[in-house]
Amino acid sequence: MSDSADQDTITDRDLAVLLRDGHPGLDANLSRMALEQVVSNWENNPEKEKKLEFLRESPMGIDFVIPDIHWDAEEEEFYVGTNRGPGVLGEVASGGGFHVAAEFSREYVEAYREQYQELLDNSTLTKKQFLTYVMREANKNEYVIADALDVKTGTVRSHAGRAREKVQKAQATARIPELFEFEGYDELQENMESLLEPKTA
């Protein structure tokens, strides 16, 4: 990963690293928060509210809209994008339920990225310290982290050590370990699915 213009920005490639090797509790909580944000935005937008109700009435559930990992053959790297369910949601141009799900999914991916970005911005960590810390807390070994971040294992140890010190000292950064806790996958799935259930009269 290059330390260039995106050194402080969570990219789609970073999201793939976090989704694949990050902390499952943190990812679950941020995924839920992103979904709540998009649902709230659509509920409070007259045009999109109708689309949301259409989506809720359709047979497409949460699995059709959650962010997914893809491979970019040209860049030779993984990235997070829209779900590639039936109809290839991210590539559907117009028409029907898949179009609505694709639009929702695109906004969900962006909200998901924004949740991670906000967490990083409100911390005292550099991006690589943040990524390293989250993966170490997920019990990933130094070699996996070094490979994911394209750094040496000594750099992983250095980033992890500095990150832990900052997390212990900084109140804003300390919110990160709180988000490692979550209610469990079954309850999380039910909670997220309920956001896309049809509204009862």
Side-chain angles (χ1 to χ4, degrees):
M1 187 178 298
S2 64
D3 286 319
S4 56
D6 71 356
Q7 62 183 352
D8 298 318
T9 302
I10 297 291
T11 66
D12 290 341
R13 182 187 187 277
D14 297 325
L15 287 180
V17 169
L18 289 162
L19 187 54
R20 186 183 64 230
D21 296 318
H23 194 283
L26 178 64
D27 192 75
N29 280 312
L30 296 188
S31 294
R32 177 184 47 78
M33 290 161 63
L35 180 62
E36 288 172 350
Q37 177 185 325
V38 177
V39 168
S40 176
N41 289 346
W42 280 43
E43 285 179 335
N44 291 293
N45 179 311
E47 183 182 330
K48 289 186 175 179
E49 185 181 21
K50 292 177 183 175
K51 293 180 180 180
L52 180 60
E53 288 312 307
F54 176 84
L55 185 61
R56 283 172 164 159
E57 295 289 343
S58 79
M60 290 180 281
I62 189 66
D63 291 336
F64 279 76
V65 296
I66 56 175
D68 202 6
I69 297 176
H70 310 291
W71 173 252
D72 185 329
E74 189 174 315
E75 296 293 328
E76 296 187 346
E77 63 183 26
F78 289 100
Y79 68 96
V80 164
T82 55
N83 191 296
R84 300 295 177 136
V88 195
L89 298 183
E91 296 174 359
V92 173
S94 62
F98 287 129
H99 174 62
V100 174
E103 182 181 352
F104 187 93
S105 185
R106 283 191 291 270
E107 290 192 26
Y108 188 4
V109 169
E110 182 53 28
Y112 176 69
R113 190 194 68 74
E114 287 172 0
Q115 290 293 338
Y116 270 110
Q117 186 67 52
E118 183 179 347
L119 199 59
L120 171 61
D121 289 345
N122 290 333
S123 78
T124 56
L125 305 177
T126 66
K127 184 170 80 168
K128 284 200 174 178
Q129 287 172 351
F130 175 78
L131 294 170
T132 300
Y133 175 71
V134 170
M135 285 190 278
R136 284 299 288 152
E137 292 301 308
N139 296 317
K140 294 293 187 262
N141 69 48
E142 293 172 352
Y143 298 101
V144 169
I145 299 171
D147 182 60
L149 300 182
D150 195 24
V151 298
K152 298 184 181 194
T153 53
T155 304
V156 170
R157 286 191 289 274
S158 173
H159 282 330
R162 287 190 190 125
R164 282 202 183 96
E165 287 177 14
K166 289 181 177 182
V167 167
Q168 289 169 358
K169 290 178 183 176
Q171 195 168 7
T173 304
R175 179 172 176 248
I176 298 172
E178 290 174 11
L179 288 169
F180 289 154
E181 301 295 326
F182 75 115
E183 64 268 28
Y185 285 110
D186 289 343
E187 202 166 330
L188 174 76
Q189 184 81 2
E190 287 176 17
N191 178 276
M192 292 175 76
E193 285 175 352
S194 70
L195 291 168
L196 292 181
E197 286 177 356
K199 293 291 186 186
T200 54

